Amino acid sequence: METASTPVRGRPREFDPEKALAAALEIFWRRGYEGASLAELTEAMGITKPSLYACFGNKESLFRKALDLYERDKLCYVKSALEAPTAKQVAERLLKGALAMQCGNTDPKGCMGVISSVANTAHAECIRNEILARRASSDRALIERFERAQKEGDLPADVEPKALALYLTTMLQGLAVQAGSGVPEDRLTQLVDTALTMWPSA
């Protein structure tokens, strides 16, 4: 029987939301948004559907949170790359950061954004738009960095920053696709080295 001095405790959470979200991220990364079923997600997360809805909202909301985690933990090298002192070092940090992530032993291969950006239903179209909007934001940041590099004399005047940014993002996406198809790390390293050798210099 409770007395006035007995502390009233709330019901403890039965799972770690951060670990559950990390598990959901891996499923989305492997399967894509549409390929990941709620049954597979809840099993991997170790929770029930009501717990998923209570903590994360619906599947779309869960995916957005997983995408935030992906950008925070898996793409953390991007911020460092944009802060590099030269355009070539920006490219080097991006390419080598992507290479390290793709060649790790635990994470799924391929790019989560690419895997999930092909939407086949009206419901998933909003997910595709979300990914494209985030990608556009990243592209703008890269273009602005290259524009600054050109003004500083770090890039040749005849190089188009938008085209150079597109070239680099295409390389990054291609690297992810190659890694996802099983191309060995030494060949991917050669790809990165070749891209850096061909980088335009002022």
Side-chain angles (χ1 to χ4, degrees), residues 4 16 20 33 42 50 67 132 150:
D16 183 334
Y33 176 76
T42 52
L67 199 57
L132 293 178
Q150 194 171 52

Side-chain angles (χ1 to χ4, degrees), residues 7-197:
V8 178
R9 298 179 180 178
R11 183 178 179 180
R13 190 181 293 276
E14 298 175 352
F15 64 95
D16 183 334
E18 191 75 9
K19 290 182 179 179
L21 185 58
L25 167 59
E26 183 169 343
I27 297 299
F28 281 128
W29 197 345
R30 292 184 187 280
R31 306 292 193 196
Y33 176 76
E34 289 188 287
S37 68
L38 281 176
E40 187 175 19
L41 286 164
T42 52
E43 181 179 359
M45 297 167 75
I47 62 177
T48 62
K49 286 183 181 180
S51 293
L52 186 154
Y53 292 133
C55 186
F56 300 104
N58 58 18
K59 181 182 176 183
E60 179 183 327
S61 177
L62 175 64
F63 179 83
R64 293 176 191 275
K65 289 181 172 65
L67 199 57
D68 288 339
L69 180 62
Y70 175 76
E71 292 179 346
R72 187 193 78 191
D73 288 359
K74 307 303 180 181
L75 301 183
C76 55
Y77 62 88
V78 174
K79 183 177 184 295
S80 171
L82 292 172
E83 295 171 349
T86 68
K88 184 173 183 178
Q89 287 174 311
V90 170
E92 182 176 11
R93 290 186 187 182
L94 284 174
L95 288 167
K96 291 188 175 180
L99 179 65
M101 183 182 72
Q102 294 296 338
C103 294
N105 295 323
T106 57
D107 289 330
K109 307 305 177 188
C111 173
M112 182 177 171
V114 172
I115 293 169
S116 297
S117 62
V118 180
N120 296 320
T121 67
H123 177 72
E125 187 67 18
C126 60
I127 292 298
R128 180 176 180 273
N129 291 338
E130 170 83 9
I131 292 171
L132 293 178
R134 293 187 187 219
R135 186 180 301 165
S137 177
S138 297
D139 289 346
R140 283 195 301 273
L142 189 57
I143 291 168
E144 289 172 1
R145 179 63 186 85
F146 288 160
E147 287 175 341
R148 178 163 67 86
Q150 194 171 52
K151 291 177 182 177
E152 294 171 348
D154 181 41
L155 283 174
D158 60 348
V159 169
E160 171 53 57
K162 289 183 180 179
L164 190 60
L166 178 59
Y167 164 75
L168 184 54
T169 55
T170 301
M171 286 291 301
L172 291 167
Q173 291 171 4
L175 186 67
V177 171
Q178 292 290 317
S181 64
V183 175
E185 183 176 354
D186 59 340
R187 287 180 58 189
L188 296 177
T189 300
Q190 290 177 343
L191 176 65
V192 169
D193 291 342
T194 299
L196 293 173
T197 298

